[in-house]
C-alpha cells in the first residue's frame, strides 16, 4: 500500500508518516520500482499502534521506547501519565476558576480585566506585603471576587495580611458566608479557626445565625470565638459557652469574663449570668484555679446572687480565692 492510501485509511497525513520514518518509528517495508514507499500490513498495524499510544498523551520519544525497548514496563508509564494528567487538570481547573472570578467582577473593559488578573495574582504572591496591598486594594473600582477573598483568608498565615483580608471580606457583605460555612467544616483546625474569625467580623443577622450554629461546634476554639462574638452582639445564647470558657481557663477566659460583665449590664441578664457562674461553683468539682477565675468573673456581675456568692467565697479554704472575694466585696460596698 502506497503512502497516500495509508494516509487516507489511517487518518495520519503523509507528511506525518514521513516524519515517523525520519524518527525510525515506522519504515516502509519496500519500495516500488519507481521508488515510492510501500507499506505492508505489519507497517500499517505499527502506524495504528503509534497513534493509539499518542492518544494517551505519550510523546513520540516515549512511543518509540514503548515499541522498541524490551525492558519497557507499561505500568510505570501509565503511572507517569496519570500524574501528568492530574497536574494538567489542576492547572486547567485553576485557570477556569480564575476566569470565572474575573467574569464575576463584570469587567467593563480590558483595563478592568488586567486589574482583576493582577489582584488575583497578588493574592497568591509569596510576598506578604503584596498580598496585603491586594487585600486593601480590593475595595477599589475593580473589587476582588468574594470567592477569591475567602480562599485567600482561609489559607493566610500572616496576621497582618489576614486582618486586611477579613476587612475586605466584611466590606463585601454576607455573600462570603456560605463559603466560610464550608471552612468551618474543614478537617483542618487552622482553616476552621480562620473561618470563624472571619465570620465574627461580618455584621448582620446572617453572620449571627452562622455563629449561633458554631456554638455547637466540636472544636472548642471555634465555639469560644463564636461565643465571644455573639456575646459582644448581645446574644444571650452564648452565656453557657462563655461560662465554660471561664471554668476551663482557655486562652480567652479573661475575654469571656469581660463579655459576661458587659452582658450583665442589662437588668434582665445579671441574674441568669450570676446563676450560671454560681452553679458551677456549687458543683463542688471545680479546682482551685477554676474557683479563682469564677470569683474574678463574679466581681463585675451586679445583684444579690453575686453578693451572697462572694460572701461564701470569702470563707473559701483557698486563701487566694478568699482574699479575691473579700477584695471584690469591698469594691462593691464602695460602689
Amino acid at each position: 500500500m502506497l503512502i497516500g492510501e495509508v494516509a487516507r485509511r489511517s487518518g495520519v497525513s503523509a507528511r506525518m508518516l514521513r516524519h515517523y520514518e525520519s524518527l525510525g518509528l515506522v519504515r516502509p517495508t519496500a519500495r516500488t520500482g519507481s521508488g515510492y514507499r510501500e507499506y505492508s500490513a505489519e507497517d500499517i498495524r505499527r502506524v495504528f499502534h503509534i497513534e493509539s499510544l499518542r492518544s494517551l498523551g505519550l510523546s513520540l520519544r516515549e512511543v518509540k521506547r514503548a515499541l522498541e525497548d524490551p525492558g519497557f514496563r507499561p505500568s510505570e508509564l501509565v503511572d507517569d501519565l496519570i500524574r501528568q494528567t492530574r497536574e494538567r487538570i489542576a492547572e486547567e481547573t485553576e485557570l477556569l476558576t480564575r476566569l470565572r472570578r474575573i467574569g464575576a467582577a463584570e469587567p467593563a473593559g480590558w483595563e478592568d480585566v488586567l486589574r482583576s488578573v493582577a489582584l488575583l495574582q497578588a493574592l497568591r504572591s509569596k510576598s506578604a506585603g503584596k498580598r496585603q496591598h491586594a487585600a486593601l486594594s480590593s475595595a477599589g473600582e475593580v473589587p476582588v471576587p468574594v470567592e477569591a477573598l475567602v480562599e485567600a483568608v482561609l489559607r493566610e498565615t500572616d496576621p497582618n495580611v489576614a486582618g486586611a483580608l477579613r476587612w475586605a471580606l466584611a466590606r463585601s457583605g454576607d455573600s462570603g458566608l456560605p463559603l466560610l460555612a464550608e471552612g468551618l467544616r474543614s478537617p483542618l483546625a487552622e482553616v476552621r479557626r480562620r473561618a470563624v474569625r472571619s465570620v465574627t467580623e461580618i455584621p448582620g443577622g446572617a453572620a449571627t445565625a452562622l455563629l449561633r450554629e458554631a456554638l455547637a461546634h466540636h472544636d472548642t476554639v471555634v465555639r469560644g470565638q463564636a461565643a465571644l462574638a455573639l456575646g459582644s452582639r448581645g446574644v444571650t445564647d452564648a452565656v453557657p459557652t462563655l461560662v465554660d470558657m471561664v471554668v476551663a481557663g482557655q486562652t480567652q477566659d479573661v475575654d469571656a469574663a469581660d463579655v459576661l460583665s458587659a452582658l450583665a449590664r442589662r437588668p434582665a441578664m445579671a441574674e441568669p449570668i450570676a446563676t450560671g457562674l454560681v452553679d458551677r461553683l456549687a458543683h463542688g468539682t471545680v479546682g482551685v484555679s477554676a474557683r479563682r477565675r469564677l470569683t474574678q468573673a463574679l466581681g463585675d456581675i451586679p445583684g444579690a446572687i453575686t453578693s451572697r456568692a462572694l460572701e461564701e467565697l470569702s470563707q473559701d479554704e483557698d486563701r487566694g480565692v478568699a482574699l479575691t472575694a473579700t477584695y471584690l466585696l469591698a469594691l462593691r460596698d464602695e460602689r
Side-chain angles (χ1 to χ4, degrees), residues 124-303:
R124 300 190 71 90
S125 171
K126 293 182 179 180
S127 166
K130 288 183 179 179
R131 296 197 304 274
Q132 185 173 21
H133 183 266
L136 296 174
S137 299
S138 68
E141 295 179 0
V142 183
V144 174
V146 68
E147 287 183 5
L149 286 174
V150 173
E151 180 184 315
V153 80
L154 293 182
R155 69 168 178 264
E156 186 55 60
T157 57
D158 185 284
N160 294 323
V161 180
L165 287 167
R166 290 195 300 271
W167 170 81
L169 193 54
R171 284 177 59 91
S172 69
D174 57 14
S175 56
L177 289 175
L179 296 172
L180 291 172
E182 292 181 16
L184 287 171
R185 295 189 289 271
S186 171
L188 302 176
E190 60 269 25
V191 172
R192 297 194 299 267
R193 294 166 189 182
R194 290 172 194 149
V196 73
R197 181 77 183 276
S198 298
V199 177
T200 64
E201 298 189 20
I202 297 175
T208 299
L210 184 55
L211 290 170
R212 284 179 186 269
E213 293 178 17
L215 286 176
H217 203 284
H218 65 87
D219 188 325
T220 57
V221 175
V222 171
R223 288 203 307 271
Q225 288 285 340
L228 289 171
L230 287 169
S232 298
R233 298 183 186 201
V235 178
T236 58
D237 292 355
V239 170
T241 302
L242 292 169
V243 172
D244 288 342
M245 292 170 70
V246 172
V247 174
Q250 293 180 357
T251 307
Q252 294 181 300
D253 60 282
V254 175
D255 295 329
D258 289 342
V259 173
L260 286 171
S261 174
L263 279 171
R265 295 192 186 105
R266 299 181 178 186
M269 285 305 303
E271 185 173 330
I273 291 173
T275 300
L277 292 168
V278 171
D279 283 348
R280 298 306 295 269
L281 286 165
H283 288 168
T285 57
V286 293
V288 172
S289 58
R291 291 207 307 280
R292 290 179 182 177
R293 289 190 295 273
L294 286 165
T295 302
Q296 292 166 350
L298 282 166
D300 288 326
I301 310 298

Side-chain angles (χ1 to χ4, degrees), residues 291-292 295-296 310 313-314 318-330:
R291 291 207 307 280
R292 290 179 182 177
T295 302
Q296 292 166 350
L310 289 173
L313 287 166
S314 67
D318 179 77
R319 180 172 173 77
V321 172
L323 289 175
T324 299
T326 300
Y327 172 72
L328 292 173
L329 281 170

Side-chain angles (χ1 to χ4, degrees), residues 84-100:
Q84 293 177 21
T85 303
R86 284 175 174 165
E87 290 175 355
R88 189 166 61 252
I89 291 172
E91 290 173 359
E92 293 294 328
T93 301
E94 184 177 350
L95 174 60
L96 178 60
T97 299
R98 191 179 307 143
L99 289 170
R100 283 175 173 168

